[in-house]
Amino acid sequence: MLSVTPIPAFSDNYIWLLRQDTSPEVCVVDPGDAAPVVQVLERENLTLTDVLITHHHHDHVGGLPELIQRFAPRVIGPSNPQIEGIDEAVNDGDTCRVMGRRFDVLAVPGHTLDHIAFFTAGIPPLLFCGDTLFSAGCGRLFEGSPEQMHRSLTTLTTLPDDTLVFAAHEYTLANLRFASAADPNNREVAAALSEAERARALDRPTLPSNLGRERRINPFLRCADPEVRAAAAAHGDTDTDLATFTTLRAWKDRF
Ligand code: ZN
Ligand code: FE
C-alpha cells in the first residue's frame, strides 16, 4: 500500500512524500526546500531513496543539492540541463519504477517547456502534476503557448475519473473564486468553494483532488461547456475550445 502525504513548504507549496507500507525508504516529489523534508525524515526515521521532479522552477528543485548531499537519492526528472542533479532524465512515454509502483511519464508543456507529470495506475491511480493542473485551475504560461497547455490538460483528462490529483500548490481557494466567475451557475463550484473555505480555515490541505471532480469544477477543463464559454465571451475570443481556454487563462492572469 502506497501512502502519500503533504510536506508544506514556502507559503503554498506541497512536497508530496510517498511511502510504501512501513518501509523507511521514501520518495518525495518536487522538493523545493530541503529543510521541511529533512525535518520529517529525521522525526520519522526515514531515508530518502527517490526523488521525482516535474519541472525546473526553483520552488520545485531548490532542495535538491542538500538532499543529494545528505541522502544520495535517485533523482528522476525532465531532461533539462538547467536542473542539476538529475540521474535519470525521462521523457513522454517513458516509465520508471518507484516505491514498488510503475509510473508513466507524460509530457505536459505549457507552464514550462520541460514540464512532465507522473502517473501510476492502481487503486486509486495517482497523478503528480506539479504546476500543470491545480484543483479548479491550471498553471500560468511562463514558457509554453496556450495551445501546448490546452493539449497537456486534455492529455491529463484522458486519465481515469478516480485518479487522485497531487498538485504542487495550495491554490484551490483563489482558483475556486475565479471558477465562480467563469462558471457562475455551477453548483458544484459553489459547494467546492465552501468546502475549501472550511478546510483552509482549519489549515487542512484541499488536495488531493480527483480527475472526475476536476472535470466538473475546473473551468480550464470545461472550455466546451456553454456556460463557461458564455462567461469567457465577455473577456475575449471563444470561437473554439482553444480560444476559450486562451481567453480564460488571460482573464485569470488579471483576476
Ligand atoms: Zn512552476
Ligand atoms: Fe511552483
Side-chain angles (χ1 to χ4, degrees), residues 24 85 104 138 182-183 188 241:
D104 296 316
C138 73
D183 198 357
E188 209 165 332
D241 289 356

Side-chain angles (χ1 to χ4, degrees), residues 68-171:
I68 290 169
Q69 200 181 24
R70 286 178 93 117
F71 302 100
R74 170 173 74 134
V75 182
I76 303 171
S79 60
N80 178 351
Q82 281 176 276
I83 310 173
E84 274 179 55
I86 301 277
D87 300 305
E88 286 177 37
V90 289
N91 286 305
D92 191 51
D94 287 344
T95 61
C96 49
R97 266 202 98 75
V98 176
M99 299 287 109
R101 297 270 287 252
R102 194 190 95 153
F103 285 78
D104 296 316
V105 177
L106 305 162
V108 285
H111 175 70
T112 61
L113 292 176
D114 67 346
H115 208 306
I116 55 175
F118 295 90
F119 171 79
T120 178
I123 307 169
L126 313 176
L127 174 68
F128 297 91
C129 49
D131 290 356
T132 296
L133 175 65
F134 297 122
S135 183
C138 73
R140 276 178 193 261
L141 303 178
F142 285 113
E143 296 176 4
S145 64
E147 190 173 5
Q148 283 175 312
M149 187 57 132
H150 184 243
R151 199 181 314 131
S152 294
L153 293 173
T154 303
T155 301
L156 296 182
T157 57
T158 63
L159 300 173
D161 267 351
D162 62 343
T163 303
L164 295 181
V165 175
F166 294 93
H169 289 273
E170 180 59 69
Y171 288 161

